[in-house]
């Protein structure tokens, strides 16, 4: 590429190293705008059935739409999911449902918090560098 331009313009045209999209302020502003818009929308937990989708009303749907955990509002929770999927999570966002009683989904399980697991703390199958879920 050096032969396509003059030596004094080469430094301005070529980047000096890789910069992650998460470190680019314009990209972060765009992702935050999208995440804020999605975070302001209502969330419905739906079940796919042969006769069409049916809205589910249970403790999990209440947690998702009203109070996901003690530290976040619903808008913050959805904002975190969207931002993580776009930037740090490589298209993934993992949320762990903490329950009282049995493991979810079970008849005696009651979700009392949805914990956001940050991408640096886990790895999905195919990524052998981190803990697998």
């Amino acid at each position: 590429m050096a032969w396509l331009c003059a030596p004094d313009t080469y430094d301005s045209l070529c980047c000096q190293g890789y910069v992650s999209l998460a470190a680019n302020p314009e990209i972060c502003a765009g992702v935050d705008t999208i995440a804020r818009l999605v975070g302001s929308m209502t969330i419905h937990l739906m079940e796919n059935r042969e006769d069409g989708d049916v809205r589910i009303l249970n403790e999990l749907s209440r947690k998702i739409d009203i109070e996901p955990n003690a530290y976040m509002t619903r808008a913050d929770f959805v904002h975190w999911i969207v931002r993580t999927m776009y930037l740090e999570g490589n298209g993934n966002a993992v949320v762990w449902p903490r329950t009282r009683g049995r493991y979810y989904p079970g008849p005696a399980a009651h979700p009392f918090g949805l914990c956001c697991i940050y991408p640096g703390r886990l790895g999905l199958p195919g990524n052998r560098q981190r803990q697998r879920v």
Side-chain angles (χ1 to χ4, degrees):
M1 184 167 147
W3 55 273
L4 294 176
C5 62
D8 55 339
T9 59
Y10 177 77
D11 291 334
S12 65
L13 293 176
C14 294
C15 63
Q16 298 299 319
Y18 174 75
V19 177
S20 171
L21 290 177
N24 187 326
E26 291 86 7
I27 298 294
C28 289
V31 169
D32 282 337
T33 301
I34 293 169
R36 191 174 54 251
L37 289 172
V38 174
S40 67
M41 297 176 187
T42 303
I43 305 265
H44 296 294
L45 185 61
M46 304 294 282
E47 179 181 357
N48 294 330
R49 294 188 181 169
E50 290 185 19
D51 57 342
D53 293 341
V54 177
R55 185 173 177 192
I56 298 175
L57 297 172
N58 61 12
E59 287 293 319
L60 182 60
S61 66
R62 182 182 183 284
K63 280 290 174 192
I64 291 171
D65 197 34
I66 297 174
E67 55 171 336
N69 59 42
Y71 307 106
M72 296 177 145
T73 64
R74 181 192 53 80
D76 293 336
F77 178 68
V78 175
H79 185 277
W80 179 86
I81 289 173
V82 172
R83 181 180 169 82
T84 301
M85 288 178 67
Y86 272 110
L87 296 178
E88 298 93 5
N90 197 20
N92 301 298
V94 178
V95 177
W96 184 270
R98 294 184 61 203
T99 61
R100 291 187 199 122
R102 305 177 71 106
Y103 291 109
Y104 193 83
H110 300 288
F112 68 91
L114 300 174
C115 301
C116 301
I117 301 178
Y118 292 93
R121 300 200 53 180
L122 68 111
L124 298 173
N127 184 357
R128 305 218 183 270
Q129 297 176 7
R130 300 181 189 130
Q131 173 185 345
R132 292 177 63 171
V133 175

